[in-house]
Amino acid sequence: MSSSAKRKAQSPAPRSPTPAAKSPTPAPATPAAAKSPTPAPKSPTPGPASPAAERTTGFLPGSHWAEQGLPEEEENDGDSIIGSDVESSTASISSSILKYRTMNGRTYHSDSVTDGEYWAPNDEKANEVLDIFHHAMTICLDGRLYDAPLPENIENAIDLGTGTGLWAIDFADKFPNCNVIGTDISPIQPSWVPPNVRFDIDDYNKEWTYKTNFFDFIHLRWLTGTVKDWPALYKKAYEGCKPGGYIEHIDASGTALSDDGSVDNKVHAVGQWGPMWQEAGRKIGFEVDLHSNNLMENAMKEAGFVNIVTKDYKVPFSPWSDDKKMHELGMYFYAAMNSDLRGSLQYMFGTIMGWTDEEINIYIQHVRKEMKNKDIHGYFIYRMVYGQKPLDA
């Protein structure tokens, strides 16, 4: 449990059915590639929005990786290979398990909560990924939980797709006079939380049951692969947002980037992560590349939000950077990715794309080998977009 959860363990939060969303969606990874003779330049974290990455449609079938076989092991020379110090991570939250469906020994959300399928497991192993990811995002934002210019006297906030609930708990600590709701389709949140937090189990894709013009802040993070109709979701958020209130959404595109050409999305396993996720998303009708065509910004504007601001954050997928902050961020992101690669791929690559267990396992080994290679200077862009509901709305 997070330090804030331990510190504020006061009274159990009452559960009340309301919208819920899933935990963060795939953090697509993507770098893999040719070794670069010189280290990549340090990547500044926040920056002005970069042009939307081109959607990559060329993806390799699972049989390609089976034909490659398992990658050869490389000796750890201390420089180019990431050592075992970042192979393990600690972070888990007690969960209450209700009636979940199972797939290859992994548990998934109850079918009674939502009409749609969700790609991520909801067991302890998957929840650990969410906890590590929350810490990584805190490092990315220099300790901030949000960027929207919120006033100090906000009264109501909601975190859609709260996952293990750490963001909602930390936000409640920061705003003790604000009522904070976290929604999700799985009851994996802690039962002892700050008194101003509650967790609701439901699907945010369904009709909302909250009051209109009610929330001062609506927060969305890592929801890739969970929404079929993003404009419709933003419109629901607009209706629920109080005039003058804010919405903020941060998500990755899944496209692998590098500043020195060390990532080749057409060849390497990590580079194929994005194209495969995009193809699987198309097959089930989910848009997973939210950066192309500025989907987030345009959908917010279409819903009615104004004063829209876009920021792009570079997130290394391993600790290859010499920059202290980027190195630490890469270490935590690497830990999150490697904690449960199988859980991230099992549904989308196996069930949807038809890969065999052997193909998935071999692909995972190639991904791990490439992520350990510090000569591959890859990163993902996490795009943050926030906007305000007009005061006269």
Side-chain angles (χ1 to χ4, degrees), residues 27 32 60 75 82 87 115 149 157 159 162 179 196 213 230 236 267 279 295 298 319 354 356 363 374 389:
L60 301 173
E75 293 184 6
I82 296 173
E87 290 290 346
D115 299 329
D159 182 30
T162 195
N179 296 311
N196 56 324
N213 302 316
W230 283 101
K236 291 176 185 177
V267 176
E279 179 62 20
L295 187 153
N298 292 338
T356 65
Y363 173 76
K374 293 173 74 174
K389 185 170 182 175

Coordinates of all heavy atoms in Angstrom, one line a residue, residues 27 32 60 75 82 87 115 149 157 159 162 179 196 213 230 236 267 279 295 298 319 354 356 363 374 389:
A27 N 0.5 0.1 -21.5 CA 1.4 1.1 -21.7 C 2.3 0.7 -22.8 O 3.2 -0.1 -22.7 CB 2.3 1.3 -20.5
A32 N 13.3 -0.5 -29.7 CA 14.1 -1.6 -29.8 C 15.0 -1.3 -30.9 O 14.6 -0.6 -31.8 CB 13.3 -2.8 -30.2
L60 N 4.2 -7.5 -37.5 CA 4.7 -8.8 -37.8 C 3.8 -9.8 -37.1 O 3.4 -9.7 -36.0 CB 6.1 -9.0 -37.4 CG 7.1 -8.0 -38.0 CD1 8.5 -8.1 -37.4 CD2 7.2 -8.2 -39.5
E75 N 26.2 -11.6 -22.1 CA 26.8 -11.3 -20.9 C 26.6 -9.9 -20.4 O 26.6 -9.0 -21.2 CB 28.4 -11.6 -21.0 CG 28.7 -13.1 -21.3 CD 30.2 -13.3 -21.4 OE1 30.9 -12.3 -21.1 OE2 30.6 -14.4 -21.7
I82 N 21.1 -3.8 -18.8 CA 20.5 -3.4 -17.5 C 20.6 -4.5 -16.5 O 20.2 -5.7 -16.8 CB 19.0 -2.9 -17.6 CG1 19.0 -1.7 -18.5 CG2 18.4 -2.7 -16.3 CD1 17.6 -1.3 -18.9
E87 N 15.2 -5.5 -11.9 CA 14.4 -6.7 -12.4 C 13.2 -6.9 -11.5 O 12.2 -7.5 -11.8 CB 15.2 -7.9 -12.5 CG 16.2 -7.9 -13.6 CD 15.6 -8.0 -15.0 OE1 14.4 -8.3 -15.0 OE2 16.2 -7.7 -16.0
D115 N -20.5 -4.6 -20.1 CA -20.8 -5.4 -21.3 C -19.6 -5.7 -22.2 O -19.7 -6.6 -23.1 CB -21.9 -4.6 -22.1 CG -23.1 -4.3 -21.4 OD1 -23.5 -5.2 -20.5 OD2 -23.8 -3.3 -21.6
P149 N -5.0 24.0 -13.7 CA -4.9 25.1 -12.7 C -6.1 25.0 -11.7 O -7.0 25.9 -11.7 CB -4.9 26.3 -13.5 CG -5.6 26.0 -14.7 CD -5.3 24.6 -15.0
A157 N -14.4 15.7 -6.9 CA -13.5 15.2 -7.9 C -13.7 13.7 -8.2 O -14.1 13.0 -7.3 CB -12.0 15.4 -7.6
D159 N -12.0 10.2 -10.3 CA -10.9 9.5 -11.0 C -11.5 8.4 -11.8 O -11.9 7.3 -11.2 CB -9.9 9.1 -10.1 CG -8.7 8.4 -10.8 OD1 -8.4 8.8 -11.9 OD2 -8.0 7.6 -10.1
T162 N -9.8 4.2 -11.8 CA -8.9 4.4 -10.7 C -7.9 3.3 -10.5 O -6.9 3.5 -9.8 CB -9.7 4.7 -9.4 OG1 -8.8 5.3 -8.5 CG2 -10.4 3.5 -8.9
N179 N -14.5 15.9 -1.7 CA -15.0 14.5 -1.8 C -14.4 13.9 -3.1 O -14.7 14.4 -4.2 CB -16.5 14.5 -1.9 CG -17.1 15.0 -0.6 OD1 -16.7 14.6 0.5 ND2 -18.0 15.9 -0.7
N196 N -12.4 11.1 3.0 CA -13.0 11.9 1.9 C -12.9 11.1 0.6 O -13.0 11.7 -0.5 CB -12.4 13.3 1.8 CG -10.9 13.3 1.6 OD1 -10.2 12.4 2.2 ND2 -10.4 14.2 0.8
N213 N -23.3 19.0 -13.8 CA -22.7 20.2 -13.3 C -22.2 20.0 -11.8 O -22.4 20.9 -11.0 CB -23.7 21.4 -13.3 CG -24.2 21.7 -14.7 OD1 -23.4 21.7 -15.7 ND2 -25.5 21.8 -14.9
W230 N -14.7 7.7 -27.7 CA -14.1 8.8 -26.9 C -14.9 10.1 -26.9 O -15.1 10.7 -25.9 CB -12.7 9.0 -27.4 CG -11.7 8.0 -26.9 CD1 -11.2 6.9 -27.6 CD2 -11.2 7.8 -25.6 NE1 -10.4 6.1 -26.8 CE2 -10.3 6.7 -25.6 CE3 -11.3 8.6 -24.4 CZ2 -9.7 6.3 -24.4 CZ3 -10.6 8.2 -23.3 CH2 -9.8 7.0 -23.3
K236 N -20.0 13.0 -21.8 CA -20.5 12.7 -20.5 C -19.8 13.4 -19.4 O -20.4 13.9 -18.4 CB -20.4 11.2 -20.2 CG -21.3 10.3 -21.1 CD -21.0 8.8 -20.8 CE -21.8 7.9 -21.8 NZ -21.4 6.5 -21.6
V267 N 11.4 -3.7 -37.2 CA 12.2 -4.9 -37.0 C 12.1 -5.4 -35.6 O 11.9 -6.6 -35.4 CB 13.7 -4.6 -37.4 CG1 14.5 -5.8 -37.1 CG2 13.8 -4.2 -38.8
E279 N -3.5 -2.8 -34.2 CA -4.3 -3.7 -35.0 C -5.3 -4.5 -34.2 O -6.4 -4.7 -34.6 CB -3.3 -4.7 -35.7 CG -4.0 -5.7 -36.6 CD -4.8 -5.1 -37.7 OE1 -4.5 -4.0 -38.1 OE2 -5.6 -5.8 -38.3
L295 N -6.7 13.2 -31.3 CA -8.1 12.8 -30.8 C -8.5 13.4 -29.5 O -9.6 13.8 -29.3 CB -8.1 11.2 -30.7 CG -9.4 10.5 -30.5 CD1 -9.4 9.1 -31.0 CD2 -9.7 10.5 -29.0
N298 N -9.3 17.2 -29.9 CA -10.4 17.5 -30.7 C -11.7 17.0 -30.0 O -12.8 17.7 -30.1 CB -10.3 16.8 -32.1 CG -9.2 17.4 -32.9 OD1 -8.8 18.5 -32.7 ND2 -8.6 16.6 -33.8
P319 N 16.2 2.5 -18.0 CA 17.1 3.6 -17.4 C 18.3 3.8 -18.2 O 19.4 3.7 -17.7 CB 17.4 3.0 -16.0 CG 17.3 1.6 -16.2 CD 16.2 1.3 -17.1
G354 N -4.8 -14.0 -32.2 CA -4.6 -15.4 -32.5 C -3.2 -16.0 -32.3 O -2.9 -17.1 -32.8
T356 N -0.2 -18.0 -30.6 CA -0.1 -19.1 -29.7 C 0.7 -18.7 -28.5 O 1.4 -17.7 -28.4 CB 0.6 -20.3 -30.4 OG1 2.0 -19.9 -30.6 CG2 0.0 -20.7 -31.7
Y363 N 8.1 -13.9 -28.1 CA 8.1 -12.4 -28.3 C 8.4 -11.7 -27.0 O 9.2 -10.7 -27.1 CB 6.7 -12.0 -28.8 CG 6.4 -10.5 -28.9 CD1 7.0 -9.8 -29.9 CD2 5.7 -9.8 -27.9 CE1 6.8 -8.4 -30.0 CE2 5.5 -8.5 -28.0 CZ 6.1 -7.8 -29.0 OH 5.9 -6.4 -29.1
K374 N 20.9 -1.0 -23.1 CA 21.0 0.4 -22.9 C 21.5 1.2 -24.1 O 21.6 2.5 -24.0 CB 21.9 0.7 -21.6 CG 21.2 0.2 -20.4 CD 22.2 0.3 -19.2 CE 22.3 1.8 -18.7 NZ 23.1 1.9 -17.5
K389 N -14.6 23.7 -18.5 CA -16.0 23.9 -18.9 C -16.2 25.4 -18.7 O -15.9 26.0 -17.6 CB -16.9 23.1 -18.0 CG -18.4 23.2 -18.4 CD -19.2 22.2 -17.7 CE -20.7 22.2 -18.2 NZ -21.5 21.2 -17.5

